Each structure stands twice: as C-alpha cells, then as structure tokens.
Amino acid sequence: MGKIIVAGIGPGSKEDITPAVLEAVRQADAIVGYKYYFQFIEPYVPEGCECIDTGMKKERERAELAFSLAQQDKTVVVISSGDAGIYGMAPLIYEMQNLPLGSGPKTKNLMLGPGPEIKSEVEIVALPGISAFQKAASLLGAPIGHDLCVISLSDLMTPWEVIERRIKAAAMADFVTAVYNPKSHGRYWQLYRLQELFLQERSADTPVGYVRQAGREEQQVKVTTLGAFDPEDVDMFTVVLIGNSQSYIAGDKIITPRGYYREETGEQVKPGQQIMMDSFRTISRELQRQDYPLDHKWALLHAIHTTADFDMESILYTDAGAVETLYKKVKDGILKTIVTDVTMVTSGIRKGALQRLGIEAKCYLSDPRVAEMASSLGITRTQAGIRLAVEEHPDALFVFGNAPTALMELCDLIRKGKAHPAGIIAAPVGFVHVRESKHMVKPFREIPKIIVEGRKGGSNLAATLCNAILTFDDAAQLKPGRDL
C-alpha cells in the first residue's frame, strides 16, 4: 500500500518551500494539484513522475485521485499553496480516509479507470508549509506578534451569517486578524462589511497591511489604517492583516508588541495598575463611538472607570482640546494650583502626580476665615471658600464635585473680572441649581472646561477628571503602539 503526502508548498516563492516538502516531491511517484502551483515545484519533480491537474475548485476530485494512486502502491504528493492544513487539502484527505467503507465516492478519472472505495489503510503524512498570512506578515514587519486569528470571507462552504459572527468576535476580542479570500468577482461587498464591523470595535487608526501575490514576482505590499483602507484595492490574491489595539505603524512596517520593551526598561506594572489597564480596555471596547479625540476619550475613560456609568458617554462635555490644553499649562508651569470646592475632591486627586508635577491642591473649607465670612455675609461656606480662593489664586484650576452654589459663585466672580481660571471642572451633584450652575459655565469660551451635564456628578468624579488632566501624558498609551 502506498502513501499520501499532503504538502504545503508555501505562498509562491521557491525560497519559501521547506526542505521536507522538496524531499517529498523528489521521491514522489505522482503529484496531484491545481496546475497553477506546479510551476513552483517543477525543478524538483523527478523524471517519470506523473503530474495530474484537476483544475480549479476540484478539491474532492484531487483527493479521490490521490487515494486511487496510493492504493496502487504509489507515493502520492498532494500539493497545496501555503500550509496544507490551513484552508488546504489536508483536512479533506483525512476526512475522506475516515469515511465508512463503501460510502466514499469513486474516482472517474478516465486515465486511471474506475477507482476503489476511498476508505483505505493508506498512510497519510501532512507536511507544513509557510502560510500566506505568515509570508505577508514578514513583509509587513511584525504585525502578528500577539494573539491572532484567521478568517476566510469565502462563503462557498460557510454561511455568511457564521462568517459575520466570527468577524464580530475577532473585532471585539482585539485579535490581530488575517483575512483570506477577501474578495472575488462575485464577492465584492463582504470586505466592506468586515471593515464596517471592525470600525464598530476598533479605532480608525488601527494599522492595516495587505499583500498581493506574497512571495511572487507580482508582489505588492501596502500599509494603511482601518479608516483609510480601501477594499477596492484588494483582489482574491491578497491577504489582509488587521492589527490589534496595540499595533502601530513605524515607517512602512506594522509592529504588534508583546510588552518585552517595558520589561527590559524596568517599568513594572503593579497589580492595581494592571487592573486599571484591563478596565480601560474593556471600557474602550464598549463605547458607542470609537472616534473621540484622544484627550476627550482619556477623560471619558476615567469618568466611566470611576462610576461604572456608561451614561457618561452622553453627558461628559469637554471643550475641544481642554484636557490637553490644561495638561500643557501644568507642564509649562503656568498652572500651579488646583482649588476644590470640598475636601473630598482634594483627597481623590493623585498625590504622586501632584508631587511629580509640582502642583498644590487645596480646599478652603477648613480655613477659619471661611466660617466667619459665610456667617457675616449670609452665604454658604463653599461660596466663601471660593471667594477666598479667588483672592489668592485667581488663575487656578477650579474643580467642583459637590456644591453648585460654589460653581455659581465662581461664575459671578469671572463676570466681575475678579477671577480668570486656568480651567474649570464642573461636576457638582444634586437636584437644586445643579443644571443651572453648569449652564452658567459654558459662555466662558476662553476658559477650558470639563462639564458633567445634568444632575450627575460627585467628588469622586471631579477628582478623577482632574487626574485625567494630570496624567494626560499616559493617554498616548491609547494610541496604537502603546500598551494601556
């Protein structure tokens, strides 16, 4: 009894055929495959070896022929492009071997005559090859450096509903994704749909690379982003690779990091920090939009992380560039003081960040002058605290997480020309004058503002929005190429 060797001949370059596959070809009595692939192994085919082409889309006939020839005590090599086990002939060969005796189809190749039943004791050997997505990845740099999946868009044997579920799962799970059979003359819309689904879960800046005719003379390599990717630039000979949320473009290459660089530089992630990173990833995936400006998204992630309230996506307002502008004021030494309406807000601001940046955070409620002023003027203690703060620090960042009256007091002082804040975080909470106080802030267009609209707010929320400003340098981690 002969044997069948199912061999992956690689993506198309002679240099990418493994020595084991070349040796199998040299020992073959017969080679079965699609005629297009014979050109890549022709120099290694021994004299007298029978080369049989079954034509395109004739995989079952190919497998039947292989069994018929092997049962004539021949060594048969069945060739597949790439790796024979990935969308190749290996699964079909093994499947046929395990058909019940008498149930398998018979070969009808006239050259061989009627063939015996497929079920047999023929030995089967599968030899791996370099897959097209591996070759494409090497040409694109290092895009598959982390968890990945491979999806075929061909719906010839898989219903599109199943394919679409797999696409959604890959996008949501943040897999690096290789796309096979992305397009053909009859399948023109599926790749557009994949792009649409990925954009629901991934940033438009996500790197995308695609390679046409990888390893062959007609080879073309292109790098773009998910948002700029044009499916019309792709055909059936193309493999598409979509990076994950950490992938980034460096020059003309795509890199998906594993995190080794962080370890080598001694930057260790603490357990609590890791939990926060994982939380941010989860929040980012579940946002209704993925195209927020980076500084707004940074504040939004902090707000949702602190409150577990995805309503923040609808009610968190930031002036354009507000977070980044305030952070630059801190870095440039312009903003040196943060004033809060209540001590709980001050307590929630990161002490390490304050110390690192040389910032003072203070609340005037415990100042003995506040009680005296409030009593003599008939105003709230938080109002009195803001008045004192404006006298001493008129250009501070003012942060409100409790008292709408304090926010209204600041607005009045601004209108009178007594205060000119570096910025305002307006997140008072409650039912009386809360909405109105936030509306009063908006007309000050020259002042960078972060506002939690409506009744919601709170000291913890105000503090975390302040922390978003102080740590904005870490927001670069949200961009492709950095680990959260």
Side-chain angles (χ1 to χ4, degrees):
M1 190 69 68
K3 69 177 178 180
I4 297 174
I5 301 174
V6 194
I9 63 171
S13 169
K14 295 176 181 178
E15 292 77 14
D16 291 328
I17 305 176
T18 69
V21 170
L22 291 177
E23 184 60 27
V25 170
R26 292 188 183 102
Q27 295 179 4
D29 297 313
I31 300 173
V32 178
Y34 173 45
K35 62 181 179 181
Y36 181 82
Y37 300 130
F38 280 105
Q39 60 182 306
F40 304 117
I41 60 168
E42 186 177 1
Y44 313 102
V45 176
E47 187 176 350
C49 178
E50 192 174 12
C51 294
I52 306 169
D53 161 43
T54 59
M56 192 175 183
K57 297 182 181 180
K58 300 290 185 180
E59 289 83 0
R60 287 186 59 171
E61 288 85 344
R62 239 173 277 164
E64 293 171 27
L65 280 169
F67 276 100
S68 291
L69 292 166
Q71 288 171 337
Q72 297 175 33
D73 203 28
K74 293 183 178 182
T75 297
V76 184
V77 174
V78 179
I79 57 173
S80 279
S81 65
D83 183 291
I86 302 176
Y87 305 124
M89 289 294 296
L92 178 57
I93 295 290
Y94 278 107
E95 199 175 8
M96 277 195 172
Q97 187 187 42
N98 288 282
L99 286 173
L101 188 63
S103 66
K106 297 174 183 291
T107 179
K108 297 179 181 179
N109 184 280
L110 298 177
M111 178 175 58
L112 298 174
E117 299 295 341
I118 296 302
K119 176 68 177 179
S120 68
E121 299 301 321
V122 169
E123 178 187 0
I124 298 175
V125 177
L127 297 179
I130 296 174
S131 182
F133 82 85
Q134 292 173 292
K135 179 66 175 181
S138 68
L139 296 168
L140 290 165
I144 58 173
H146 217 299
D147 298 342
L148 71 146
C149 67
V150 183
I151 297 175
S152 170
L153 297 192
S154 173
D155 56 0
L156 291 175
M157 289 176 283
T158 305
W160 175 254
E161 291 78 8
V162 175
I163 296 172
E164 183 159 317
R165 288 202 301 272
R166 292 171 180 172
I167 293 169
K168 291 178 180 178
M172 291 180 65
D174 201 29
F175 281 114
V176 175
T177 305
V179 184
Y180 274 52
N181 303 309
K183 198 175 179 184
S184 69
H185 294 299
R187 289 183 293 101
Y188 67 91
W189 58 267
Q190 285 86 343
L191 188 56
Y192 284 96
R193 177 59 176 159
L194 179 142
Q195 182 184 29
E196 178 184 2
L197 292 171
F198 263 77
L199 281 170
Q200 292 174 8
E201 303 292 338
R202 308 277 185 91
S203 165
D205 294 330
T206 302
V208 172
Y210 49 107
V211 180
R212 184 179 186 277
Q213 297 280 27
R216 301 170 188 171
E217 290 184 6
E218 307 92 335
Q219 175 180 291
Q220 295 177 333
V221 181
K222 297 186 179 181
V223 172
T224 184
T225 63
L226 187 59
F229 174 57
D230 182 5
E232 291 300 322
D233 202 26
V234 169
D235 63 14
M236 63 185 296
F237 296 104
T238 307
V239 174
V240 180
L241 284 167
I242 305 171
N244 67 15
S245 61
Q246 308 310 306
S247 303
Y248 62 98
I249 297 173
D252 60 349
K253 303 298 182 184
I254 298 175
I255 301 171
T256 299
R258 285 291 307 276
Y260 294 119
Y261 181 80
R262 182 177 64 247
E263 294 172 4
E264 289 175 3
T265 56
E267 182 186 341
Q268 299 299 321
V269 179
K270 298 177 181 178
Q273 193 177 0
Q274 185 63 53
I275 292 172
M276 184 174 180
M277 293 174 183
D278 293 341
S279 298
F280 272 28
R281 290 191 186 97
T282 301
I283 294 166
S284 184
R285 287 195 298 269
E286 294 184 19
L287 292 176
Q288 295 177 11
R289 285 178 51 190
Q290 297 295 323
D291 59 346
Y292 291 113
L294 182 61
D295 72 330
H296 177 83
K297 186 175 183 179
W298 187 241
L300 180 59
L301 290 177
H302 278 76
I304 297 175
H305 179 254
T306 296
T307 62
D309 183 1
F310 276 85
D311 195 31
M312 290 296 152
E313 191 168 5
S314 301
I315 65 175
L316 181 68
Y317 167 85
T318 63
D319 283 337
V323 175
E324 184 174 9
T325 298
L326 289 169
Y327 175 72
K328 286 181 178 178
K329 288 183 178 183
V330 171
K331 290 291 288 183
D332 294 342
I334 299 171
L335 198 170
K336 297 182 178 180
T337 306
I338 298 172
V339 172
T340 70
D341 61 339
V342 291
T343 54
M344 285 187 66
V345 178
T346 311
S347 299
I349 300 173
R350 290 187 181 181
K351 303 303 182 290
L354 292 171
Q355 185 176 7
R356 183 180 75 251
L357 295 167
I359 304 296
E360 179 186 21
K362 59 191 305 180
C363 175
Y364 279 78
L365 275 184
S366 59
D367 190 305
R369 295 173 294 173
V370 166
E372 181 181 348
M373 180 186 292
S375 176
S376 63
L377 298 177
I379 60 177
T380 66
R381 291 173 65 241
T382 53
Q383 281 180 279
I386 293 301
R387 287 193 185 185
L388 285 175
V390 166
E391 289 178 9
E392 298 180 1
H393 302 286
D395 56 354
L397 168 63
F398 285 82
V399 184
F400 301 86
N402 180 271
T405 54
L407 178 55
M408 294 165 74
E409 183 70 28
L410 178 65
C411 291
D412 186 54
L413 294 170
I414 293 172
R415 292 182 70 244
K416 291 177 179 178
K418 296 181 179 181
H420 40 87
I424 300 172
I425 295 176
V429 61
F431 300 92
V432 180
H433 302 313
V434 173
R435 288 192 178 102
E436 294 89 338
S437 70
K438 296 170 182 179
H439 293 320
M440 290 171 66
V441 176
K442 288 188 176 179
F444 304 121
R445 296 181 179 178
E446 73 281 2
I447 301 173
K449 298 174 293 296
I450 302 174
I451 303 172
V452 179
E453 305 271 21
R455 294 173 172 175
K456 291 185 178 181
S459 299
N460 59 340
L461 186 52
T464 200
L465 292 172
C466 191
N467 290 332
I469 293 169
L470 298 179
T471 62
F472 183 65
D473 54 334
D474 291 334
Q477 298 175 41
L478 295 178
K479 294 181 179 178
R482 296 287 300 277
D483 197 4
L484 271 174

